[in-house]
Amino acid sequence: MNRQTILVVEDEPNIAEVIGLYLRRADYDVVTLHDGEAALAWLAANKPDLVVLDLMLPRVDGLEITRWLRSRGNIPIIMLTSRRQETDRILGLEMGADDYVVKPFSPRELVSRVRAVLRRVAAPGEDVVPGPALTCGDLTIDPATRLVTVAGREVTLTAREFDLLWWLASHPRQVFTRDQLLDHVWGLAEYIDPSTVTVHIRRLREKLEEDASNPRYIRTVWGVGYKFEP
Ligand code: CA
């Protein structure tokens, strides 16, 4: 099999170098570019197997490149974003990116995301969490399509919100601490503030619950953590 080519667009030279190093070690061919304009010019003439794309880039930013790529096909994109940007821009990212990694990230984690996305592209459906849709009350969660509906109405969740909901719902009544949820759902090597979990729980409730202050599905177990009540 031919080696797969990955385009890395990252303006911080140290990060670009580390990413390149780890990806080459994982047997990918890597092309590294440092600004958005150069990336668009290169992409006009080349078709990589995947693009690792920093969100904040000089001249043309990652979101614009994502839009440009999506208007021309479906080359997989993994977006690099900083935690501060995540809250505001994740919805935009999800319109185009296949996955995103929050800086600072471990290069190993990025390589495993790259592998996972490429595997998903090569064999669609295989990498998706197996199992049938889960229905509780008026809530339906389908791990195959990652669709969530409440009383038949489709709810838009970010990838992480979906993963968190799926983890809780597929372990009904089991209580998880925030650290456990970080391990299972985030699973990254670097430190993430446990309040990230609180924020995601709140957003899930706002999106899913009839009364977010008196949740029916995602319950707080005071002093411990959270559980899903089917
Ligand atoms: Ca940047």
Side-chain angles (χ1 to χ4, degrees), residues 10-12 54 56 103:
E10 165 62 81
D11 56 315
E12 289 161 74
D54 187 28
M56 300 302 283
K103 290 177 181 175

mmCIF file of all heavy atoms in Angstrom, residues 10-12 54 56 103, ligand 1:
data_model
loop_
_atom_site.group_PDB
_atom_site.id
_atom_site.type_symbol
_atom_site.label_atom_id
_atom_site.label_comp_id
_atom_site.label_asym_id
_atom_site.label_seq_id
_atom_site.Cartn_x
_atom_site.Cartn_y
_atom_site.Cartn_z
ATOM 1 N N GLU A 10 0.391 24.687 10.083
ATOM 2 C CA GLU A 10 0.580 25.168 11.462
ATOM 3 C C GLU A 10 1.646 26.255 11.438
ATOM 4 O O GLU A 10 2.740 26.036 10.931
ATOM 5 C CB GLU A 10 0.991 23.983 12.347
ATOM 6 C CG GLU A 10 1.566 24.333 13.698
ATOM 7 C CD GLU A 10 0.578 25.072 14.589
ATOM 8 O OE1 GLU A 10 -0.271 24.406 15.203
ATOM 9 O OE2 GLU A 10 0.668 26.316 14.651
ATOM 10 N N ASP A 11 1.322 27.436 11.964
ATOM 11 C CA ASP A 11 2.267 28.549 11.866
ATOM 12 C C ASP A 11 3.294 28.561 12.994
ATOM 13 O O ASP A 11 4.301 29.260 12.899
ATOM 14 C CB ASP A 11 1.524 29.890 11.822
ATOM 15 C CG ASP A 11 0.614 30.088 13.008
ATOM 16 O OD1 ASP A 11 -0.113 29.127 13.346
ATOM 17 O OD2 ASP A 11 0.600 31.182 13.592
ATOM 18 N N GLU A 12 3.047 27.802 14.069
ATOM 19 C CA GLU A 12 4.053 27.757 15.131
ATOM 20 C C GLU A 12 5.074 26.676 14.780
ATOM 21 O O GLU A 12 4.742 25.491 14.776
ATOM 22 C CB GLU A 12 3.387 27.467 16.477
ATOM 23 C CG GLU A 12 2.568 28.644 16.975
ATOM 24 C CD GLU A 12 1.546 28.255 18.031
ATOM 25 O OE1 GLU A 12 1.960 27.996 19.159
ATOM 26 O OE2 GLU A 12 0.350 28.196 17.708
ATOM 27 N N ASP A 54 -4.297 23.987 11.690
ATOM 28 C CA ASP A 54 -4.412 24.908 12.823
ATOM 29 C C ASP A 54 -5.535 25.892 12.518
ATOM 30 O O ASP A 54 -5.709 26.325 11.380
ATOM 31 C CB ASP A 54 -3.075 25.640 13.017
ATOM 32 C CG ASP A 54 -3.063 26.478 14.286
ATOM 33 O OD1 ASP A 54 -3.783 26.112 15.238
ATOM 34 O OD2 ASP A 54 -2.343 27.476 14.325
ATOM 35 N N MET A 56 -6.029 29.037 13.954
ATOM 36 C CA MET A 56 -5.549 30.411 13.825
ATOM 37 C C MET A 56 -4.276 30.429 12.995
ATOM 38 O O MET A 56 -3.222 29.994 13.449
ATOM 39 C CB MET A 56 -5.277 31.005 15.212
ATOM 40 C CG MET A 56 -6.508 31.044 16.118
ATOM 41 S SD MET A 56 -7.868 31.985 15.409
ATOM 42 C CE MET A 56 -7.277 33.646 15.736
ATOM 43 N N LYS A 103 -5.231 22.349 21.859
ATOM 44 C CA LYS A 103 -3.874 22.635 22.334
ATOM 45 C C LYS A 103 -3.896 23.007 23.813
ATOM 46 O O LYS A 103 -4.814 23.686 24.235
ATOM 47 C CB LYS A 103 -3.270 23.808 21.551
ATOM 48 C CG LYS A 103 -2.933 23.511 20.119
ATOM 49 C CD LYS A 103 -2.426 24.811 19.489
ATOM 50 C CE LYS A 103 -2.080 24.582 18.030
ATOM 51 N NZ LYS A 103 -1.706 25.851 17.386
HETATM 52 CA CA CA B 1 -1.737 29.320 15.023
#
